[in-house]
Amino acid sequence: MSLVINHNMMAMNASRNLNNSYGKLSVATRRLSSGLRVGTAADDAAGLAIRELMRADIASVNQGVRNANDAISMIQTGDGALQVVDEKLIRLKELATQASTGTYTSDQRLIIDSEYQAMCSEITRIASATNFNGIYLLNGNLSSPTHDGTGLNPTGKIKIHFGSGNSSAEDYYFISIGNATASGLGIGMSAGAGKAGRSISTQDLAQKALAALSNAIVSKDKIRANLGATQNRLSNTIQNLQIQAENLQAAESQISDVDVATEMTEFVRQQILTQSAVAMLSQANSLPKMATQLLQG
């Protein structure tokens, strides 16, 4: 290489190497300070796209866990009310047994029947008042076998959505809750004319009410059993979702997070190269002075 004045090629070369090393040092610094290997699309365009899809799925699955927990809370609310209904039904069976014997007069049976009707009304009140977040659980609104979510207020059985997609096989299922009002259980005046559990005002009606009350208890128990089974299913669903979210998070971490040990090695390497380039650039900038020495003769 000739000794020239107009173009300092050594300085240009050192400057290019300095810019290259300094740029890589800047990337290593950004990665170490942020903890992310993929901070921009330039780092890994395909990895960034996969990561963002994974982050969306992780957020959706975590929300699904919250949805399932809300459903469990709803079920526990309904089951708690049914526990009170259970106590009322036991009392009704006791009253019907009492009115079935022949040692009471008609007036006394009417008194017993008044408590019977009051208990039936209380069962209806409990079933009609039990709600979770404004959703009434035991009044028969959720007993329909079909679901329609096209309106502002969905109708029929309630849909519990917990997945990140919209597949009926993977992402949601329905909860149907039977009618636990007195009429739904077939007891009390609201049960309608001719129903065996309508009244215990006579010995014959009281005896017929015993079978109706047994059926009502069974119907109530079926509702509670269905709720209990669904609660257990939701608990298993939550465990699966949590494992799924954990695995997705691990996969996202492999793509997105920086390996600190590897990146720190790269940082030190580029730091040394940058320092060397700065030193050599300084030396290269002083080389044209050798030409002036020749000119001075």
Side-chain angles (χ1 to χ4, degrees):
M1 182 177 290
S2 301
L3 181 60
V4 297
I5 298 175
N6 286 333
H7 298 92
N8 190 344
M9 299 306 297
M10 290 185 183
M12 292 176 63
N13 182 264
S15 177
R16 177 174 58 80
N17 288 330
L18 173 60
N19 289 333
N20 185 46
S21 297
Y22 191 76
K24 292 180 179 179
L25 179 63
S26 176
V27 171
T29 301
R30 172 172 56 79
R31 287 175 175 175
L32 287 169
S33 62
S34 67
L36 296 175
R37 183 186 71 87
V38 182
T40 67
D43 291 330
D44 185 352
L48 178 68
I50 295 171
R51 183 191 72 178
E52 295 308 307
L53 288 172
M54 284 185 173
R55 288 179 63 188
D57 284 344
I58 291 168
S60 182
V61 169
N62 285 332
Q63 181 58 53
V65 171
R66 293 190 288 272
N67 288 353
N69 277 317
D70 288 342
I72 288 177
S73 297
M74 180 190 71
I75 287 173
Q76 290 173 336
T77 300
D79 186 64
L82 287 172
Q83 187 174 359
V84 179
V85 171
D86 195 11
E87 296 172 359
K88 305 302 179 187
L89 288 172
I90 292 173
R91 177 57 178 163
L92 290 175
K93 187 75 177 286
E94 182 181 4
L95 291 172
T97 303
Q98 183 180 9
S100 296
T101 188
T103 58
Y104 291 97
T105 66
S106 59
D107 290 336
Q108 290 169 334
R109 283 196 182 87
L110 289 174
I111 293 172
I112 296 172
D113 185 60
S114 66
E115 183 181 352
Y116 181 90
Q117 300 301 333
M119 286 291 178
C120 290
S121 298
E122 180 61 11
I123 289 174
T124 297
R125 187 201 67 78
I126 292 171
S128 300
T130 302
N131 75 89
F132 179 84
N133 194 34
I135 300 170
Y136 291 91
L137 307 178
L138 304 177
N139 63 354
N141 287 350
L142 305 181
S143 61
S144 173
T146 60
H147 170 82
D148 184 5
T150 57
L152 292 176
N153 295 311
T155 59
K157 55 187 178 181
I158 189 168
K159 180 180 182 181
I160 306 301
H161 197 114
F162 46 79
S164 58
N166 193 35
S167 169
S168 60
E170 301 175 5
D171 301 307
Y172 62 85
Y173 44 77
F174 297 96
I175 298 177
S176 180
I177 304 177
N179 188 343
T181 62
S183 60
L185 296 174
I187 56 175
M189 299 301 290
S190 59
K195 294 291 184 179
R198 188 169 187 268
S199 173
I200 58 171
S201 57
T202 68
Q203 188 176 18
D204 181 64
L205 288 174
Q207 290 170 339
K208 290 179 179 178
L210 290 172
L213 287 166
S214 294
N215 292 334
I217 292 172
V218 170
S219 297
K220 178 269 304 173
D221 286 341
K222 286 181 179 179
I223 297 174
R224 292 193 70 182
N226 180 59
L227 291 177
T230 305
Q231 181 175 338
N232 290 334
R233 183 181 182 184
L234 284 167
S235 296
N236 293 330
T237 297
I238 289 171
Q239 292 180 2
N240 180 64
L241 289 173
Q242 289 172 335
I243 293 172
Q244 183 180 349
E246 183 179 342
N247 290 333
L248 281 172
Q249 190 68 70
E252 190 265 339
S253 177
Q254 289 291 326
I255 295 172
S256 182
D257 291 342
V258 67
D259 184 333
V260 176
T262 301
E263 200 61 43
M264 193 63 199
T265 301
E266 179 67 11
F267 173 83
V268 173
R269 176 173 176 270
Q270 296 303 330
Q271 188 179 47
I272 293 172
L273 288 173
T274 299
Q275 292 171 350
S276 298
V278 169
M280 291 303 100
L281 179 59
S282 176
Q283 293 295 324
N285 284 333
S286 65
L287 290 178
K289 295 180 180 179
M290 297 174 62
T292 61
Q293 292 177 0
L294 291 175
L295 292 175
Q296 290 174 355

